[in-house]
Amino acid sequence: MNATFNIRRFGLNIYKELLEKYRVILGFWAVIALVYLMFWGMALLLGSNVGEYSRGTVAITLLQFYCCLIPFLIYKNENRHIEGTFYGIAPASTLEKTLTVFVIVTLLFPALTTVLMLSLDSLLSVMPTESGFNGHIWDTVFSSDRFMSGLENSISTEEGRDILDTLFFGIPNVLFNPFLSMILGQASFVFFAMLFRNHKIGKTLLVICGVGFLLSMGATWSIVSTVKHLEAESLSSMDAEIMARWMKNFVKTVMVFTCYILPVIFWVLTYFRIRRVQY
């Protein structure tokens, strides 16, 4: 049954898993609401008004953290030797199980959690208090243009804005959409949640730190090696426009690979991990 897909069985599998996991999701939502209420309460205590972009940035950061954490909480036992036995023998194919994880963790949870948080934010913003929240942040979270304009306005120096425009000019704004980036960035955490049997969060953090360290060391080494092989005259004669174009293409390539290609790779790996897990 690993290679089959039946829409009715797929729907029943989603329904079954939601029945099993809805308590975890509701508890997580209660924590999310409590944390956001604490954020609002701190603004009241400090007597400050938190603007739309600052509040939207906080909301996006919290949502990204929650969405990265939820796979480890919902699917903490599915690949373990004893606890995951019933998951292994469930009447659903590997494809259906993988798509079920995708629907619950990457579609339903981020969408509903975002609506919950933004609705709570809108409610708090209309409270009759002298300080706290003002304005609405829906556009900041869902709109690439609104988010980028807020990012530009948050940069105080003209040089910083010029650098931002130079690096990101011509890159499709959809790559900067906070909500889209949030759901695409989940793929690696879903894979690690299915890959590791124990200490999932700790091992995932170690892997991320290790890969980040190796990438930074490799980038530093390549830059130093390139500079050493170039003569001083060559560096001084380099056209600034060429360098800016090269940097822009590099940033665009990295963003396309990170946002679109890498998530697909991780979901394919998740499929094979679910298929080959031994109980």
Side-chain angles (χ1 to χ4, degrees), residues 168-188:
F168 297 149
F169 178 77
I171 297 178
N173 279 351
V174 69
L175 295 178
F176 301 102
N177 186 285
F179 183 78
L180 181 62
S181 300
M182 177 178 66
I183 62 176
L184 290 174
Q186 256 196 331
S188 59

Side-chain angles (χ1 to χ4, degrees), residues 17-248:
E17 292 201 12
L18 286 175
L19 283 181
E20 295 173 353
K21 306 175 190 307
Y22 79 93
R23 292 185 179 87
V24 177
I25 297 175
L26 292 178
F28 207 63
W29 281 347
V31 173
I32 291 172
L34 180 61
V35 171
Y36 207 77
L37 286 172
M38 291 175 60
F39 174 45
W40 178 67
M42 289 179 60
L44 293 180
L45 290 175
L46 296 175
S48 60
N49 289 305
V50 186
E52 296 178 18
Y53 181 75
S54 299
R55 211 163 71 251
T57 303
V58 172
I60 293 167
T61 304
L62 291 175
L63 288 169
Q64 288 175 338
F65 173 75
Y66 297 143
C67 289
C68 291
L69 184 61
I70 196 64
F72 301 102
L73 300 180
I74 293 183
Y75 292 97
K76 61 181 179 179
N77 294 321
E78 272 66 16
N79 62 341
R80 291 179 177 175
H81 290 296
I82 298 177
E83 297 92 335
T85 303
F86 289 103
Y87 183 77
I89 63 175
S93 66
T94 304
L95 179 60
E96 291 164 354
K97 291 179 180 178
T98 306
L99 292 177
T100 298
V101 176
F102 178 78
V103 169
I104 294 176
V105 174
T106 304
L107 295 183
L108 290 179
F109 181 83
L112 295 176
T113 305
T114 302
V115 170
L116 170 68
M117 180 177 287
L118 298 187
S119 299
L120 179 60
D121 179 271
S122 298
L123 178 63
L124 296 175
S125 67
V126 298
M127 297 296 289
T129 55
E130 295 182 358
S131 57
F133 297 167
N134 54 69
H136 301 286
I137 62 174
W138 290 80
D139 289 342
T140 306
V141 174
F142 289 108
S143 172
S144 305
D145 296 332
R146 184 69 177 272
F147 179 76
M148 288 302 296
S149 63
L151 180 61
E152 291 180 0
N153 294 332
S154 66
I155 300 176
S156 58
T157 62
E158 191 67 28
E159 293 80 2
R161 294 193 188 97
D162 292 339
I163 293 174
L164 187 69
D165 292 337
T166 301
L167 288 178
F168 297 149
F169 178 77
I171 297 178
N173 279 351
V174 69
L175 295 178
F176 301 102
N177 186 285
F179 183 78
L180 181 62
S181 300
M182 177 178 66
I183 62 176
L184 290 174
Q186 256 196 331
S188 59
F189 295 94
V190 174
F191 170 69
F192 289 126
M194 287 296 182
L195 177 65
F196 300 124
R197 295 182 187 271
N198 300 298
H199 309 292
K200 298 185 177 189
I201 297 177
K203 291 179 179 178
T204 300
L205 291 177
L206 287 176
V207 171
I208 293 175
C209 292
V211 172
F213 175 76
L214 292 176
L215 290 177
S216 62
M217 291 294 293
T220 303
W221 177 82
S222 62
I223 293 174
V224 171
S225 300
T226 303
V227 172
K228 283 184 177 180
H229 285 84
L230 291 174
E231 298 179 356
E233 295 180 358
S234 300
L235 289 174
S236 60
S237 63
M238 274 188 179
D239 191 351
E241 184 178 350
I242 296 176
M243 287 295 296
R245 189 184 305 116
W246 182 88
M247 285 296 297
K248 183 176 67 176

